């Protein structure tokens, strides 16, 4: 009888050890899940920061495009003014050159 009780106790100890092993595995899995959740939250925060940075870059790019368009328009306007003034300047230089030529002939 005592031998049977010892076998039963041994089996119960074995079962307890197995349950302890299973508990350790579950704890390990739970820790892994917690680490995964923390990693996921970190990724979400980083993604949010990237989106904010992207929005900032987009607004800066938009502002830069407006400035470039303004300066390009100003440059084209100045070029048109120079184009329209150039023929009269050439004509004026030509007249002065002709006057100098006339003076030299006298």
């Amino acid at each position: 009888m005592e031998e049977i009780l010892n076998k039963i106790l041994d089996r119960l100890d074995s079962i307890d050890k197995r349950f302890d092993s299973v508990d350790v595995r579950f704890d390990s899995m739970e820790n892994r899940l917690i680490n995964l959740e923390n990693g996921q939250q970190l990724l979400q925060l980083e993604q949010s920061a990237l989106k904010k940075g992207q929005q900032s870059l987009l607004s800066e790019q938009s502002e830069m495009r407006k400035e470039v368009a303004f300066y390009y328009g100003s440059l084209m306007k100045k070029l048109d003014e120079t184009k329209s003034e150039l023929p009269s300047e050439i004509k004026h230089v030509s007249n002065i050159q002709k006057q100098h030529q006339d003076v030299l002939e006298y």
Side-chain angles (χ1 to χ4, degrees):
M1 183 77 145
E2 191 174 317
E3 189 178 315
I4 294 175
L5 285 175
N6 282 335
K7 284 183 180 182
I8 290 173
L9 286 175
D10 286 340
R11 284 189 181 173
L12 286 175
D13 286 341
S14 174
I15 290 172
D16 278 345
K17 287 179 183 176
R18 288 181 184 173
F19 277 127
D20 288 343
S21 173
V22 169
D23 283 344
V24 168
R25 287 182 183 175
F26 277 125
D27 288 343
S28 174
M29 291 300 285
E30 186 176 358
N31 287 336
R32 286 181 183 177
L33 285 175
I34 288 171
N35 288 337
L36 283 173
E37 287 173 352
N38 290 340
Q40 186 179 18
Q41 288 175 351
L42 181 61
L43 285 173
Q44 287 173 345
L45 289 174
E46 289 175 354
Q47 183 183 23
S48 175
L50 285 173
K51 283 182 181 179
K52 287 179 184 177
Q54 187 179 25
Q55 288 297 330
S56 175
L57 285 174
L58 287 173
S59 79
E60 286 179 27
Q61 185 182 33
S62 173
E63 201 59 37
M64 287 174 65
R65 283 183 177 175
K66 289 176 186 176
E67 288 179 19
V68 167
F70 171 76
Y71 288 119
Y72 179 77
S74 298
L75 182 64
M76 296 316 303
K77 185 177 179 182
K78 188 70 174 170
L79 182 64
D80 287 341
E81 289 174 5
T82 304
K83 278 181 171 179
S84 65
E85 291 174 2
L86 187 61
S88 66
E89 291 292 325
I90 291 173
K91 189 173 183 180
H92 179 67
V93 169
S94 178
N95 287 338
I96 290 175
Q97 184 181 10
K98 186 175 180 187
Q99 289 175 359
H100 283 226
Q101 188 72 27
D102 290 344
V103 169
L104 290 175
E105 286 179 6
Y106 288 129

